[in-house]
Amino acid sequence: MAVAEKWLTDHDLSCRRLYGPDHDVVGVVCEVGGAVRGSTWVLDACLDTAPFGDESAWSFPPTAGDVVGGWLRGRGSADSKSGASLFCHIAAAVAPHADRLEGTLAVLLDVDEHTGEFGGVRAFLSVAAQRRSEGF
């Protein structure tokens, strides 16, 4: 998550962390607000990874992150990390044109998806509902 936050900040995109009921960090969101109020379009990807259990059952370390025979190995390598990257790049491409955007583009990066709690999505929706009730 820190890598994504740094990338967004380095590309002049503000982001904020999302917190669950126990005050644990459950995600990060970057919002590109348009010049005209409208719908919010949410691009959602998870950054967390499913537990890998008994490491001795693996034929390579589950956190290897190395490339062998043209394939990236390790837990999470076939997960939505590429989607998260793509969504961040979309936000960076849209941001300079925000003056022509109707509504908001939100990039939601959930770090609580693999727990089954979907804390990032829940926190995002909770904040969105609160904003709507306050007229934002």
Side-chain angles (χ1 to χ4, degrees):
M1 190 175 79
V3 171
E5 289 173 317
K6 181 174 180 344
W7 191 94
L8 290 165
T9 302
D10 287 351
H11 288 82
D12 298 321
L13 297 165
S14 62
C15 60
R16 70 180 190 285
R17 289 184 174 193
L18 298 169
Y19 296 89
D22 296 331
H23 306 289
D24 294 335
V25 176
V26 292
V28 64
V29 65
C30 166
E31 293 174 301
V32 178
V36 178
R37 271 183 95 162
S39 298
T40 297
W41 298 88
V42 182
L43 304 176
D44 179 18
C46 69
L47 291 181
D48 63 336
T49 312
F52 39 80
D54 180 8
E55 288 189 53
S56 67
W58 287 70
S59 59
F60 55 86
T63 58
D66 54 359
V67 178
V68 176
W71 290 90
L72 176 63
R73 299 189 316 171
R75 176 66 93 195
S77 61
D79 208 333
S80 63
K81 308 313 180 279
S82 58
S85 175
L86 178 66
F87 294 164
C88 290
H89 281 269
I90 289 171
V94 168
H97 309 286
D99 60 327
R100 298 186 324 218
L101 182 64
E102 181 177 327
T104 301
L105 171 67
V107 174
L108 170 59
L109 305 174
D110 195 329
V111 297
D112 190 50
E113 191 260 350
H114 283 289
T115 64
E117 295 297 321
F118 302 95
V121 172
R122 290 176 188 269
F124 177 81
L125 293 174
S126 176
V127 170
Q130 182 178 354
R131 283 181 171 174
R132 274 194 308 277
S133 72
E134 294 171 356
F136 289 101

